[in-house]
Amino acid sequence: MKASVLLVEDSATLAATYQAYLSKDELKLERVATGGAAIEFLSKQSVQVMLLDLNLPDMSGMQVLEWMVERSLPTSVIIITAYGSVDVAVDSMRLGVVDFIEKPFDASRLRVTVNNALKLHKLKSLVEDYQADAGRERFHGFIGGSLAMQNVYRMIEAVAASKATVFITGESGTGKEVCAEAIHQQGQRADKPFIALNCGAIPKDLMESEIFGHVKGAFTGASSARQGAAAQANGGTLFLDEIGEMDMDLQTKLLRFVQTGRFQKVGGSQEEQVDVRFLCATNRDPWEEVQAGRFREDLYYRLYVVPIHLPPLRDRGLDVPAIAQQFLRRYAKEEGKQFRRFSSLSATIISNYDWPGNVRQLQNVIRNICVLHDGKEVLASQLPPPLNQLIPEGAIGADGRHAEEVATSEPSSNHGSQYQIQPLWITEKEAIEHAIDHCDGNIPKAAELLDVSPSTIYRKKQTWDEAEL
């Protein structure tokens, strides 16, 4: 596919000369004569490189450039002018211009400049794509932008299109079913059923019926025929959670089902054929279960095709406050409470706690707070056990508040100021919001002041806005 280049030049003679200079290169070269025409062109389609004359009949080329910066257009710009100066060069470079050439110039100079700009544009696109991928803070049902979770997201994307069996491991409460649903939704079976069974929550004598179904009269209480999860998941995905809890005899039948896609209902004599994608999970080490004789080795090899390990919450860094904030918004809304944020002390305690029960425990703690308390912010004194044991001795006053919480929520009686330590994600959010306000809502300008990509700010704002819904 040819690289796209837009030439903005009012002189027809010079435009023809530049087009001749670039005729030997594999380019799709378009030309407009005015700044207004350039803006109209860029409003409808994107180009990789633009050659921009500063002295245009209807407006300055700098105005076109400023228009592009305000909209964060990814085009690499090369300034062409006969009125070059250091000041103009500096101003244009500040707005993201990749090169600056002064008339007259020869074909070699123009071709080298354009080719360098195209290479730079490609490199920037690759970097931005990587950053967008590496900086994802949400993915299907997951919340979190930690490196550990970015690896999980990439694994999900890699295996989703396949029919290969995925074996998900991780401590209880890390989101194994969320992972399974993400694989299903990301794949080609997203519009088909997703059926989940928790093998540890169903009595062993009913487990076979839950998976394969039963015919009428198959056992006491089977007053009518019933489809099992296998038939319900036909065409879609069958997720067996806590598969290590399954009885050894049933593991034998499951092995045949995984191998052939065929099964018999309990009490039935006819085989049925289905097309399902198998996902399974356990909070134990599956190989240790095999060595201990609790899990069939042949079933292990059949299911353990692509392993995905979910990290515990304690290894996910700043994901913890982000998840806590999401739960706080959700449960405050459900319970009709006013909570909008965490105080500095409560946020610090939540961030530093080990969370042995992982996301499920964090979810229960936030629900507890929203049921039993109310207010604009969650105070440290409102944290339930065992988090309240992390509050420093003597830190909570008679009013149930920490001195730091009072200082940050009430006007100070003196004119001095005291720096308050708070979690990094809160400081980052405040800095970005302050920069946006300072720039009157202009996010590209705020990004320039903060020395980050505008896409980074847009992504973080989307995460915060969704958390407040």
Side-chain angles (χ1 to χ4, degrees):
M1 185 175 180
K2 292 183 178 181
S4 56
V5 177
L6 176 63
L7 171 61
V8 187
E9 171 59 66
D10 61 313
S11 169
T13 303
L14 288 177
T17 301
Y18 302 153
Q19 289 171 323
Y21 285 172
L22 298 172
S23 61
K24 295 182 180 180
D25 295 321
E26 290 292 318
L27 301 174
K28 179 184 178 183
L29 183 61
E30 303 278 356
R31 181 245 174 174
V32 294
T34 65
I39 290 175
E40 183 179 359
F41 185 96
L42 294 171
S43 298
K44 297 177 181 178
Q45 56 185 296
S46 62
V47 294
Q48 292 165 275
V49 172
M50 181 171 70
L51 294 161
L52 177 62
D53 189 356
L54 285 183
N55 190 34
L56 299 171
D58 58 338
M59 66 176 70
S60 166
M62 291 295 286
Q63 290 177 277
V64 177
L65 185 57
E66 289 170 354
W67 177 88
M68 295 175 64
V69 170
E70 288 178 357
R71 287 155 182 78
S72 300
L73 298 187
T75 303
S76 296
V77 180
I78 301 169
I79 292 293
I80 300 177
T81 183
Y83 305 92
S85 71
V86 174
D87 291 340
V88 174
V90 170
D91 287 342
S92 62
M93 293 295 183
R94 179 177 57 81
L95 291 175
V97 169
V98 299
D99 209 341
F100 184 96
I101 53 178
E102 188 175 356
K103 303 174 185 177
F105 49 82
D106 58 20
S108 176
R109 172 75 167 97
L110 181 60
R111 293 182 64 194
V112 169
T113 302
V114 170
N115 286 324
N116 286 343
L118 287 170
K119 291 177 182 178
L120 180 61
H121 181 274
K122 183 177 181 180
L123 179 60
K124 287 171 65 178
S125 298
L126 291 173
V127 170
E128 288 179 0
D129 289 345
Y130 173 79
Q131 288 177 335
D133 178 62
R136 285 179 294 189
E137 297 178 7
R138 287 174 178 268
F139 185 79
H140 293 283
F142 286 110
I143 300 172
S146 63
L147 179 60
M149 291 308 297
Q150 300 304 326
N151 292 332
V152 171
Y153 302 159
R154 283 191 287 271
M155 283 292 294
I156 291 173
E157 288 181 323
V159 304
S162 168
K163 194 182 175 181
T165 302
V166 179
F167 207 124
I168 307 166
T169 60
E171 296 178 7
S172 179
T174 50
K176 294 186 288 294
E177 185 168 344
V178 175
C179 180
E181 287 192 72
I183 294 171
H184 174 76
Q185 292 298 327
Q186 187 75 21
Q188 299 173 353
R189 298 171 179 250
D191 59 341
K192 302 298 182 181
F194 173 82
I195 305 298
L197 278 184
N198 189 325
C199 301
I202 301 172
K204 292 183 178 181
D205 55 347
L206 296 179
M207 192 68 225
E208 183 177 357
S209 172
E210 288 294 322
I211 297 177
F212 301 124
H214 61 257
V215 300
K216 182 179 180 180
F219 51 83
T220 303
S223 56
S224 61
R226 181 179 182 276
Q227 274 196 337
Q232 294 174 40
N234 190 22
T237 301
L238 177 59
F239 172 54
L240 300 176
D241 196 5
E242 302 304 344
I243 193 170
E245 302 293 333
M246 185 178 291
D247 183 81
M248 291 291 285
D249 291 337
L250 184 54
Q251 288 182 29
T252 303
K253 296 181 179 181
L254 179 64
L255 174 62
R256 182 174 181 275
F257 175 44
V258 174
Q259 289 174 328
T260 65
R262 305 184 67 85
F263 67 93
Q264 286 184 350
K265 289 182 177 179
V266 176
S269 58
Q270 293 184 340
E271 281 196 332
E272 297 183 31
Q273 178 82 44
V274 293
D275 171 28
V276 298
R277 199 245 177 106
F278 293 95
L279 307 176
C280 57
T282 181
N283 61 5
R284 303 175 182 177
D285 184 320
W287 182 242
E288 288 184 1
E289 293 298 294
V290 170
Q291 293 178 312
R294 293 186 290 266
F295 198 79
R296 289 183 61 100
E297 185 173 357
D298 49 4
L299 180 60
Y300 167 84
Y301 287 120
R302 174 62 64 174
L303 295 177
Y304 203 81
V305 179
V306 180
I308 295 180
H309 180 71
L310 296 183
L313 193 55
R314 61 183 172 274
D315 292 342
R316 293 177 55 182
L318 293 178
D319 289 355
V320 177
I323 298 170
Q325 185 70 28
Q326 172 70 14
F327 286 146
L328 183 66
R329 302 291 189 192
R330 181 196 304 175
Y331 295 141
K333 184 177 181 179
E334 289 181 9
E335 301 294 336
K337 300 299 176 69
Q338 303 177 65
F339 286 123
R340 305 294 292 174
R341 60 185 177 273
F342 295 90
S343 71
S344 291
L345 182 58
S346 62
T348 300
I349 291 173
I350 286 173
S351 298
N352 292 336
Y353 184 60
D354 278 344
W355 298 107
N358 295 294
V359 177
R360 187 177 295 119
Q361 182 189 10
L362 175 58
Q363 185 176 10
N364 291 339
V365 164
I366 305 304
R367 169 74 86 174
N368 175 288
I369 293 169
C370 291
V371 169
L372 300 180
H373 305 282
D374 198 3
K376 292 290 185 182
E377 65 180 14
V378 175
L379 304 177
S381 58
Q382 296 169 337
L383 297 175
L387 276 76
N388 58 4
Q389 298 172 11
L390 301 180
I391 301 173
E393 186 176 352
I396 303 299
D399 61 352
R401 305 180 72 190
H402 183 264
E404 178 185 339
E405 294 169 339
V406 175
T408 56
S409 60
E410 297 178 359
S412 176
S413 59
N414 55 52
H415 297 289
S417 62
Q418 183 177 1
Y419 183 75
Q420 302 294 338
I421 301 298
Q422 61 184 3
L424 182 60
W425 68 274
I426 297 178
T427 303
E428 179 187 55
K429 184 173 185 290
E430 290 176 350
I432 290 175
E433 290 175 342
H434 175 72
I436 294 174
D437 290 342
H438 178 75
C439 297
D440 296 324
N442 189 319
I443 290 180
K445 288 185 178 179
E448 183 181 355
L449 291 177
L450 294 170
D451 195 24
V452 298
S453 168
S455 62
T456 298
I457 296 183
Y458 284 120
R459 187 172 60 249
K460 290 182 179 295
K461 271 183 57 64
Q462 181 181 6
T463 299
W464 298 327
D465 291 343
E466 290 175 354
E468 292 177 358
L469 294 178

